[in-house]
Amino acid sequence: LAKDGSEAISLYQMAKESGKPFDLVIMDLTVPAGMGGKEAVKRVLELNPGARVVVSSGYSNDPILSDFRSYGFTDVITKPYRAADMAELVRRLIG
């Protein structure tokens, strides 16, 4: 877990450098007083262009959610979601 996008980027980089990269990253689009997913996904993709990054938000009218791929995200999950929704997303993306 990370408190914001900056911390997520650091954790992603450390995991990659340790030889145990993350299979999937789920980022909140909006982080109060911190870097959100829109900015952070760009940095993660600089570290690994093949990274699977999912955007999550409770703001269903945000244009990023309807066009997530053009922002670099692999998929989207909107809040609120159930554990079964998350499990299906993970199964679909990493098996």
Side-chain angles (χ1 to χ4, degrees):
L1 296 175
K3 66 180 178 181
D4 62 18
S6 295
E7 186 176 352
I9 294 161
S10 295
L11 292 171
Y12 190 89
Q13 185 169 9
M14 287 189 307
K16 184 179 179 220
E17 290 171 358
S18 76
K20 297 178 182 180
F22 297 146
D23 293 321
L24 182 66
V25 177
I26 301 169
M27 292 187 169
D28 203 329
L29 188 56
T30 306
V31 178
M35 180 189 293
K38 182 180 176 183
E39 298 82 16
V41 69
K42 294 174 189 174
R43 302 272 305 279
V44 168
L45 293 173
E46 287 171 4
L47 295 169
N48 177 8
R52 286 174 262 183
V53 185
V54 174
V55 62
S56 178
S57 181
Y59 300 106
S60 59
N61 60 345
D62 191 300
I64 292 175
L65 299 182
S66 61
D67 194 22
F68 59 89
R69 283 191 180 87
S70 69
Y71 291 89
F73 294 103
T74 307
D75 212 326
V76 62
I77 189 165
T78 55
K79 297 177 193 176
Y81 47 82
R82 299 172 298 131
D85 300 331
M86 183 62 72
E88 173 56 30
L89 174 77
V90 171
R91 212 177 356 265
R92 189 172 66 246
L93 295 178
I94 62 175

